Amino acid sequence: MQEKTYPWWSPVMGAREKELLSQVIDSGFPNDGPFTEKFENELAAFLGAKYAVAVTSCTAGLYLSLMALGIGSGDEVLVPDITFIATANAVSMTGAKAVLVDVNKADFCIDFAAMRKALSSKTRAIIPVHVSGRAPDMERLLAFAQEHNLKVIEDAAEALGSKTLGKYLGTLGLSGAFSFSPAKTITTGQGGLIVTNSEEIHGRLRELKDQGRPKRGTGGNDTHVSLGFNFKFTDLQAAMGLAQLETLSERLKKLQKHYECYKAALADNGRVRLPEFDTAAGACPQWIDAYVEEDRDGLYEYLKQRNADCRKFWFPLHTQNPYLSDDADYKNSIDVSKKSLWLPSSLNLEEADIYKVAEFVNDWAKLPSARTAAGAR
Ligand SMILES: Cc1ncc(COP(=O)(O)O)c(C=O)c1O
């Protein structure tokens, strides 16, 4: 009998994706076309945003958002030190400087005091990252941005369908970018989406993503009104996305349930803390993250031996070659990076599976010394 496994994540796709993909293939038009438009419209309506623009990735979405706001060489953009490197790389692509900012240990998001310290006369924007689908205090962040005349572009790569202040993440700033890479709530293989309520930004995004053409052209006698590039989505991706969207609400409910189960089961576990998601207010985790005060790697190995796959947190960006900088300003991000991991969160897991993994975590926590007994089975 095959051993039971508890994947950290696994994309869920099947017959409906195949059906819609066949329709695109039969249409003879695999480019950015009617399926893409439908996908954009459905997501804009779901998120309550005026405009949605599908692009090749969230990285491209952040880059194009910055470009649309005229951010480039000589400018600085505040980026949390704990995020996937794409956030900073999108800034670097524009020629601007990504200024890394420490995070706070409660929600792993950008820290306000550190942000204030990082401000300079060149600071033009902030990219808050909604780590695991959890927003920083957005009311405070938007007020801070207004006070210092900064644009807010949300990195909502991990936050599709998660809410704060009664709104979907990604719709609170001037623009927000989502990712549909395979480890996300819905996937199109690769792909991203930008949402905005600004007609002007929307217009710029359309031109930037398609060689300066406000509307998709023929490639022949088109008018290119501005400088643009090729970051177009395809209807093949949109077919996948439309099929996945049909089950989005179900997926979100399941992820919230995963969190509630872990939270209940780990309530008395003194070694592992789950950062809060206010699910009653609509917050939804993309993956369930956990902070392990002592011996995170021991827990990781212990779970691995029981076929429960976790993913360790990113290294702080300031320790990565393109962004090397002194440790002194990043005490919290160093701590969070060393002590955090994502627990098995796959949509394929059922409630009983989550309770089983939580039982492993509790068993590990009861070992006399988690550090020395980590390998024991
Ligand atoms: C926080 C964050 N930002 C940006 C990205 C980049 O998204 P994409 O791979 O779609 O470019 C990711 C992807 O995992 C992410 O987790």
Side-chain angles (χ1 to χ4, degrees):
M1 203 177 79
Q2 224 181 349
E3 264 193 287
K4 175 80 186 156
T5 59
Y6 307 89
W8 162 66
W9 189 263
S10 32
V12 175
M13 48 201 170
R16 182 65 176 150
E17 281 76 4
K18 287 182 188 164
E19 191 184 330
L20 292 189
L21 277 165
S22 293
Q23 287 180 20
V24 174
I25 292 165
D26 292 345
S27 78
F29 192 86
N31 202 351
D32 185 326
F35 278 72
T36 300
E37 201 176 320
K38 188 161 190 278
F39 183 60
E40 291 173 337
N41 290 342
E42 286 195 12
L43 271 167
F46 171 80
L47 294 165
K50 270 198 188 148
Y51 308 101
V53 180
V55 290
T56 48
S57 66
C58 177
T59 312
L62 294 170
Y63 165 69
L64 296 176
S65 295
L66 290 159
M67 291 285 288
L69 292 169
I71 289 167
S73 179
D75 297 330
E76 291 182 357
V77 178
L78 305 185
V79 169
D81 194 38
I82 286 290
T83 178
F84 184 51
I85 200 165
T87 320
N89 286 348
V91 175
S92 301
M93 267 168 88
T94 68
K97 181 179 176 199
V99 174
L100 302 177
V101 177
D102 203 7
V103 299
N104 76 75
K105 291 208 267 186
D107 61 16
F108 304 167
C109 293
I110 199 159
D111 180 72
F112 285 92
M115 213 161 38
R116 198 169 284 279
K117 247 178 86 185
L119 285 174
S120 83
S121 58
K122 295 178 186 167
T123 315
R124 297 277 314 281
I126 311 170
I127 307 185
V129 176
H130 305 313
V131 176
S132 313
R134 190 178 41 251
D137 178 343
M138 284 305 287
E139 198 168 4
R140 190 170 167 200
L141 190 134
L142 293 171
F144 178 91
Q146 197 171 26
E147 182 190 344
H148 298 286
N149 198 20
L150 306 176
K151 321 264 190 220
V152 175
I153 298 164
E154 295 175 71
D155 182 337
E158 302 170 8
L160 180 66
S162 183
K163 278 183 169 177
T164 191
L165 306 172
K167 290 183 175 173
Y168 282 108
L169 301 188
T171 67
L172 289 100
L174 280 174
S175 73
F178 298 92
S179 171
F180 307 126
S181 65
K184 300 301 183 328
T185 305
I186 65 167
T187 185
T188 59
Q190 292 290 334
L193 185 95
I194 313 161
V195 291
T196 182
N197 288 322
S198 156
E199 190 180 347
E200 192 188 337
I201 294 172
H202 174 239
R204 285 293 297 133
L205 290 172
R206 291 264 167 228
E207 291 170 19
L208 283 164
K209 96 163 199 179
D210 189 17
Q211 312 287 10
R213 294 177 291 200
K215 286 210 168 78
R216 183 172 45 80
T218 64
N221 58 340
D222 297 331
T223 303
H224 303 265
V225 300
S226 61
L227 180 67
F229 313 100
N230 182 2
F231 288 100
K232 289 198 294 291
F233 206 59
T234 71
D235 275 15
L236 290 164
Q237 290 167 298
M240 283 278 296
L242 283 165
Q244 302 255 304
L245 273 184
E246 290 175 5
T247 57
L248 176 60
S249 301
E250 241 172 80
R251 290 170 187 239
L252 295 171
K253 276 195 204 114
K254 191 148 200 194
L255 292 170
Q256 286 179 321
K257 191 78 197 165
H258 282 358
Y259 169 74
E260 297 298 348
C261 293
Y262 274 127
K263 195 174 144 193
L266 298 176
D268 298 325
N269 185 313
R271 292 179 189 261
V272 176
R273 165 176 72 85
L274 299 190
E276 280 294 319
F277 280 94
D278 189 353
T279 50
C284 182
Q286 163 69 82
W287 315 298
I288 317 300
D289 45 14
Y291 178 87
V292 188
E293 188 55 54
E294 195 203 344
D295 198 19
R296 186 266 323 255
D297 292 352
L299 174 61
Y300 178 88
E301 290 304 327
Y302 184 91
L303 291 176
K304 197 170 171 187
Q305 285 167 19
R306 285 148 185 84
N307 298 324
D309 275 334
C310 296
R311 185 173 72 157
K312 293 181 189 176
F313 253 54
W314 309 288
F315 294 119
L317 291 190
H318 81 275
T319 65
Q320 302 280 9
N321 257 345
Y323 301 105
L324 282 182
S325 167
D326 200 82
D327 278 350
D329 290 331
Y330 304 104
K331 289 202 171 70
N332 291 342
S333 69
I334 292 167
D335 182 80
V336 166
S337 168
K338 269 194 203 139
K339 296 183 178 175
S340 305
L341 50 68
W342 285 283
L343 292 166
S345 306
S346 170
L347 289 163
N348 288 320
L349 296 172
E350 298 305 332
E351 243 176 80
D353 301 324
I354 300 293
Y355 281 119
K356 189 73 198 165
V357 176
E359 192 184 310
F360 295 151
V361 177
N362 286 332
D363 290 347
W364 171 83
K366 280 187 217 127
L367 293 172
S369 161
R371 192 183 293 281
T372 52
R377 186 162 188 182

